[in-house]
Amino acid sequence: QVQLVESGPGLVKPSQTLSLTCTVSGDSITTAFYYWSWIRQPPGGGLEYLGHIFYSGNIYYNPSLGSRISISRDTSKNQFTLQMTSVTSQDTGVYYCARTGQISSPGRSYTYDSWGQGTHVTVSS
């Protein structure tokens, strides 16, 4: 059974860069044809899809975030990462990594068959 575990700082200062890592076990992030995604949920808000990295290495970002985010992977460690620059208080929330075999509705929870437990990120000085 696949397991995903997010890790990263719980507190980030405004204007700094947030870096999160998702460590995957029980499956390889290069297994066809899975998408490995980052999703977040602000306090009191709904899920927001941030982007994904396909098993092949292709990457897609939610256009609403512009150039603030980047996703990468380390296949030797079976990890993929999220970096978000110039964070503000609006970036506070719970960040999840998740896996799906189809990405037609990336902002919907039912899209994903496996989730990490989520990591709380607070942006505050």
Side-chain angles (χ1 to χ4, degrees), residues 10-112:
L11 179 64
V12 184
K13 293 183 177 179
S15 81
Q16 291 189 339
T17 296
L18 167 67
S19 294
L20 298 175
T21 297
C22 182
T23 301
V24 180
S25 60
D27 190 14
S28 169
I29 60 173
T30 60
T31 298
F33 297 88
Y34 284 110
Y35 302 81
W36 302 89
S37 301
W38 287 100
I39 304 109
R40 70 180 179 183
Q41 185 168 28
L47 294 176
E48 180 182 19
Y49 162 77
L50 302 180
H52 70 257
I53 184 164
F54 197 34
Y55 80 100
S56 61
N58 289 347
I59 298 168
Y60 181 83
Y61 302 118
N62 185 334
S64 69
L65 292 161
S67 60
R68 292 181 55 222
I69 71 165
S70 63
I71 296 172
S72 60
R73 69 180 183 179
D74 185 336
T75 56
S76 67
K77 296 181 180 178
N78 215 33
Q79 296 175 331
F80 61 107
T81 63
L82 170 74
Q83 286 202 322
M84 181 178 293
T85 61
S86 305
V87 296
T88 72
S89 60
Q90 301 292 318
D91 297 310
T92 292
V94 180
Y95 285 71
Y96 299 93
C97 56
R99 184 189 78 169
T100 181
Q102 59 83 24
I103 203 73
S104 58
S105 302
R108 301 290 184 147
S109 60
Y110 60 71
T111 292
Y112 303 94

